[in-house]
């Protein structure tokens, strides 16, 4: 039976609409996450002073005397651990990316790439476990402290987790540098090393920065590794060898114990909202850097 | 030998050291977990339930729970990821809406996993009244996996040459007929393998399931998708930090970590092998 053209057209339009609905869903989910977090965070500020929330260092929601809801210590901890991880991961990550794009034989690349993919595939809880059983004792021994669950340990582990992102995006941007750039540099008598350092890396810098920012977003939002490896002392961080407690770890520790629909419960969602906004901004900036050129072409 | 050349040798050596460091880290990880977890691994360990306050016995309920939750994740994330990818690659024009969709997808993949967990608590546990269950946890993981499955499926669709579509259209096929007969059959293996990688990552996640259904310990196996469950990653977290005698159960924690790693590496390996075969078939 032949369908009438009108019916066929309707069917085509319906199919397109169906796929469009699925496509548009990404926007709906992103907005949904933001709106639901916001709605659940707002009730927290019926009892908590917004100023106190963002400026106080004290977080003690279960105090029998005076409950305190300040997130400065956690935000500082999060940024400290993240900064530490970047100090470790950025030079190594760019080094590996430069090696893959400029030095390595393609056969070596075929081996290194899957290895990095395996590294990226290790679940965060396993990395956190290694922080407890492997890195912790080593750190404790080196620095002569009672245990190694501290900010340094977290930074190490987060560096490992951020590396695959930094490597793959940096390598892509190094490969995207036009050949003419390096050929011109080599023709002028520069060595391959000089070409890499003074021509290719500067030319790929925006992409490398975007990769670093994506890695940073990962590190800020990472939960299980820091929860397991940083010791979780809810105080203002005083150094890399002290235990710290990040935004993510606070949610993970306290949400399981808190009764639903209390100020404390809402306050944890407020932390979640802060976390969402921070990572959103970091990701957006890196996205704008990475896709600025592509969008312009379109 | 001039100075320039010496700098180059030292510089390239430095780059090589970076690669060695990454290799060394991975080897140390795999060796530590492989050797100590291997000592615990036995048929009994993967086929039995924990006993005596989780100080003895196996991790079967956790393996089963992780498989069940991954099924729910797949049911949500695989078809929806494919549909969204079909829209983006086959139908979407380059306009503001499409750019906004792409921006959202990239941003969704950067949302912290614990934020998905919070979202799951609000939406699935509370508003939809699924409670803390396999269903809630699986759907939460599904949402988290969606941006990965969309991207992977789109990559697969991109590999289908345009002439395939044009050929069908030239013969009078409608757009959907062209997609169904000349695009999807060729893109499907790539789409499926890509989505399996996303599922492997989801199976190893802990933060999104902590508050949406994963349980510390359950004496019985889940009977339906509305029951709570034990999961491998959460079980590892519990055995490593929450158990009352952590040092006593350390071997069990190592064993759990090894089983989780093997599960995820197996899923990855399947994909690598299938992809390799596909590439060879295409070349021939």
């Amino acid at each position: 039976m032949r369908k009438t053209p009108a019916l066929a057209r309707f069917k085509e339009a319906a199919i397109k609409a169906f796929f469009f609905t699925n496509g548009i869903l990404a926007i709906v989910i992103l907005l949904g996450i933001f709106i639901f977090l916001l709605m659940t965070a707002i009730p927290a500020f019926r009892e908590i002073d917004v100023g106190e929330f963002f400026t106080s260092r004290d977080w003690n929601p279960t105090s029998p005397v005076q409950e305190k809801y300040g997130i400065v210590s956690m935000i500082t901890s999060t940024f400290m651990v993240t900064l530490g991880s970047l100090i470790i991961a950025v030079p190594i990550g760019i080094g590996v990316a430069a090696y893959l794009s400029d030095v390595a034989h393609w056969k070596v690349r075929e081996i290194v790439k899957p290895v990095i993919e395996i590294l990226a595939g290790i679940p965060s809880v396993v990395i956190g476990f290694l922080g407890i059983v492997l890195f912790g004792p080593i750190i404790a021994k080196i620095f002569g402290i009672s245990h190694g669950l501290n900010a340094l340990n977290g930074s190490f582990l987060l560096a490992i987790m951020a590396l695959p992102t930094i490597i793959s995006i940096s390598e892509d941007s190094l490969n995207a540098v036009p050949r003419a750039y390096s050929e011109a540099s080599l023709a002028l008598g520069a060595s391959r090393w000089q070409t890499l350092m003074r021509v290719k890396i500067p030319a790929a810098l925006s992409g490398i920065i975007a990769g670093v920012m994506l890695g940073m977003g990962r590190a800020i939002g990472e939960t299980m590794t820091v929860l397991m490896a940083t010791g979780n002392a809810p105080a203002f961080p005083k150094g890399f060898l002290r235990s710290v407690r990040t935004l993510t770890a606070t949610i993970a520790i306290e949400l399981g114990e808190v009764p639903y629909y209390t100020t404390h419960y809402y306050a944890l969602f407020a932390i979640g909202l802060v976390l969402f906004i921070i990572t959103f901004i970091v990701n957006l900036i890196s996205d704008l850097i990475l896709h600025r050129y592509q969008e312009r072409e379109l | 030998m001039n100075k320039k050349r010496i700098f180059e040798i030292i510089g390239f050596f430095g780059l090589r050291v970076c690669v060695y460091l990454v290799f060394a880290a991975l080897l140390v990880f795999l060796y530590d977990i492989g050797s100590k977890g291997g000592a615990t691994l036995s048929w009994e360990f993967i086929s039995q339930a924990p006993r005596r306050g989780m100080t003895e016995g196996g991790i079967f309920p956790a393996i089963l729970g992780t498989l069940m939750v991954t099924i729910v994740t797949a049911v949500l994330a695989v078809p929806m990821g494919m549909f969204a990818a079909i829209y983006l690659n086959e139908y979407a024009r380059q306009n503001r809406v499409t750019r906004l969709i792409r921006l959202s997808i990239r941003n969704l993949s950067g949302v912290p996993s614990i934020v998905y967990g919070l979202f799951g608590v609000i939406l699935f546990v509370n508003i939809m009244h699924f409670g803390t269950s396999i269903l809630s946890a699986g759907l939460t993981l599904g949402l988290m996996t969606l941006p990965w499955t969309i991207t992977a499926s789109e990559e697969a669709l991109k590999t289908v040459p345009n002439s395939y579509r044009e050929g069908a259209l030239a013969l009078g096929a409608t757009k959907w007929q062209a997609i169904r007969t000349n695009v999807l059959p060729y893109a499907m293996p790539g789409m499926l393998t890509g989505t399996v990688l996303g599922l492997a990552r989801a199976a190893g996640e802990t933060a999104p399931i902590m508050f949406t259904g994963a349980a510390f310990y359950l004496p019985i196996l889940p009977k339906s998708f509305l029951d709570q469950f034990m999961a491998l990653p959460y079980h590892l977290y519990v055995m490593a930090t929450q158990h009352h005698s952590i040092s006593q159960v350390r071997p069990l924690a190592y064993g759990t970590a090894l089983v989780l790693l093997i599960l995820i590496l197996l899923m990855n390996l399947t994909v690598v092998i299938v992809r390799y075969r596909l590439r060879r078939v295409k070349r021939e």
Side-chain angles (χ1 to χ4, degrees):
Chain A
M1 190 188 84
R2 259 183 79 99
K3 282 187 194 122
T4 60
L7 190 61
R9 256 205 310 271
F10 174 75
K11 190 183 158 200
E12 282 294 312
I15 289 170
K16 184 179 175 183
F18 169 75
F19 287 126
F20 177 69
T21 317
N22 278 283
I24 207 94
L25 210 65
I27 304 177
V28 175
I29 295 171
L30 192 64
L31 276 178
I33 292 176
F34 177 69
I35 291 169
F36 278 14
L37 280 180
L38 189 68
M39 301 290 282
T40 322
I42 285 173
F45 297 102
R46 285 193 299 233
E47 285 183 32
I48 306 168
D49 181 46
V50 179
E52 186 204 322
F53 188 72
F54 287 106
T55 57
S56 167
R57 290 176 170 196
D58 298 315
W59 174 266
N60 192 355
T62 50
S63 161
V65 191
Q66 171 68 48
E67 293 130 8
K68 297 213 170 92
Y69 294 98
I71 61 169
V72 172
S73 299
M74 299 170 210
I75 290 193
T76 317
S77 302
T78 291
F79 278 103
M80 201 171 112
V81 177
T82 304
L83 184 74
S85 74
L86 290 182
I87 291 174
I88 302 165
V90 169
I92 298 180
I94 297 177
V96 174
Y99 180 79
L100 289 178
S101 79
D102 272 54
V103 188
H105 191 257
W106 67 270
K107 275 184 187 159
V108 178
R109 216 171 331 179
E110 294 277 293
I111 301 171
V112 176
K113 288 210 142 187
V115 165
I116 291 165
E117 268 172 42
I118 292 175
L119 198 63
I122 299 180
S124 55
V125 67
V126 175
I127 305 253
F129 179 62
L130 286 163
I132 297 175
V133 297
L134 202 67
F135 280 105
I138 294 174
I139 292 173
K141 206 176 233 175
I142 292 175
F143 295 99
I145 41 184
S146 61
H147 65 85
L149 300 181
N150 51 32
L152 182 68
N153 195 337
S155 292
F156 260 122
L157 302 177
L158 288 184
I160 288 159
M161 302 197 67
L163 265 177
T165 311
I166 296 178
I167 292 173
S168 78
I169 293 182
S170 303
E171 198 210 338
D172 287 347
S173 359
L174 282 172
N175 283 333
V177 174
R179 272 187 79 101
Y181 286 28
S182 37
E183 277 163 5
S185 162
L186 293 171
L188 287 171
S191 68
R192 278 165 67 205
W193 172 249
Q194 286 171 324
T195 306
L196 173 69
M197 293 305 282
R198 303 204 198 144
V199 177
K200 287 195 79 176
I201 290 184
L205 197 61
S206 66
I208 294 175
I209 291 173
V212 169
M213 291 200 68
L214 270 187
M216 182 174 149
R218 289 275 145 76
I220 292 173
E222 180 45 51
T223 308
M224 297 319 289
T225 18
V226 288
L227 173 63
M228 294 166 83
T230 58
N232 301 316
F236 194 78
K238 292 203 177 64
F240 273 95
L241 293 177
R242 302 291 188 88
S243 293
V244 296
R245 197 164 98 177
T246 63
L247 293 165
T248 51
T250 304
I251 300 174
I253 292 168
E254 294 180 8
L255 192 62
E257 296 161 1
V258 64
Y260 276 21
Y261 312 124
T262 57
T263 301
H264 185 186
Y265 173 84
Y266 293 127
L268 292 176
F269 281 84
I271 298 179
L273 183 65
V274 170
L275 197 60
F276 177 79
I277 292 172
I278 295 174
T279 49
F280 183 86
I281 293 171
V282 170
N283 288 324
L284 196 67
I285 294 174
S286 95
D287 198 79
L288 289 178
I289 300 173
L290 270 183
H291 292 270
R292 194 176 47 189
Y293 304 105
Q294 291 180 15
E295 306 280 303
R296 207 182 282 159
E297 281 163 20
L298 295 171
Chain B
M1 206 158 37
N2 62 11
K3 220 166 114 191
K4 217 162 72 179
R5 178 84 186 121
I6 295 171
F7 266 115
E8 180 168 284
I9 291 171
I10 297 173
F12 284 172
F13 178 74
L15 299 184
R16 202 165 282 140
V17 168
C18 293
V19 178
Y20 292 153
L21 280 175
V22 174
F23 264 85
L26 185 68
L27 280 181
V28 169
F29 289 0
L30 295 183
Y31 175 76
D32 192 57
I33 291 189
S35 62
K36 293 182 187 156
T40 311
L41 210 57
S42 65
W43 175 245
E44 195 197 331
F45 185 67
I46 57 173
S47 65
Q48 293 195 357
R51 287 192 310 266
R52 300 197 181 201
M54 297 202 288
T55 56
E56 286 174 23
I59 52 168
F60 177 70
I63 298 175
L64 181 74
T66 288
L67 290 180
M68 286 178 82
V69 90
T70 307
I71 290 172
V72 178
T73 307
V75 166
L76 177 83
V78 174
M80 277 169 72
M82 286 182 181
F83 297 154
I86 290 173
Y87 175 73
L88 285 173
N89 199 59
E90 306 295 326
Y91 288 100
R93 297 214 184 95
Q94 274 310 331
N95 56 26
R96 199 170 289 169
V97 178
T98 309
R99 277 206 291 272
L100 201 59
I101 293 175
R102 291 188 187 281
L103 183 75
S104 302
I105 292 168
R106 290 194 296 264
N107 221 299
L108 275 177
S109 65
V111 170
S113 54
I114 190 140
V115 170
Y116 278 104
L118 291 175
F119 184 61
V121 169
I122 305 173
L123 182 63
F124 301 123
V125 177
N126 292 341
I127 294 181
M128 292 189 174
H129 292 292
F130 295 150
T132 48
S133 62
I134 297 176
L135 189 60
S136 293
L139 293 176
T140 308
L141 284 178
L143 288 185
M144 194 188 74
T145 317
L146 199 55
W148 306 334
T149 54
I150 296 175
T151 318
S153 303
E154 210 191 337
E155 289 300 319
L157 286 171
K158 274 185 198 157
T159 61
V160 179
N162 251 334
S163 53
Y164 286 33
R165 299 179 180 88
E166 285 153 5
L169 292 174
L171 290 173
T174 63
K175 182 130 192 162
W176 168 239
Q177 284 169 334
I179 295 171
R180 203 188 53 200
T181 58
N182 275 24
V183 178
L184 289 185
Y186 299 96
M188 197 51 89
M191 285 167 108
L192 287 176
T193 50
T195 53
V196 169
L197 284 183
L199 291 178
R201 272 164 84 180
E205 277 288 343
T206 317
I209 62 174
M210 273 173 112
F211 309 109
T212 51
F216 189 88
Y217 170 73
L218 292 172
I220 50 165
L221 295 175
K223 287 196 181 64
S224 80
F225 284 96
L226 287 171
D227 288 337
Q228 289 196 328
F229 63 104
M230 291 175 76
L232 278 173
Y234 188 59
H235 189 64
L236 173 57
Y237 168 66
V238 166
M239 297 302 258
T241 64
Q242 307 288 298
H243 196 275
H244 56 81
S245 50
I246 289 169
S247 49
Q248 192 195 342
V249 298
R250 182 71 14 111
L252 295 178
Y254 263 110
T256 312
L258 181 61
V259 171
L260 180 61
L261 264 187
I262 290 175
L263 187 78
I264 285 165
L265 289 182
L266 271 184
M267 287 170 90
N268 280 292
L269 195 68
T270 323
V271 172
V272 170
I273 292 171
V274 171
R275 269 193 190 156
Y276 182 73
R277 289 243 171 103
L278 284 177
R279 224 183 286 166
R280 251 195 1 204
V281 169
K282 261 180 202 157
R283 250 181 236 152
E284 283 160 11

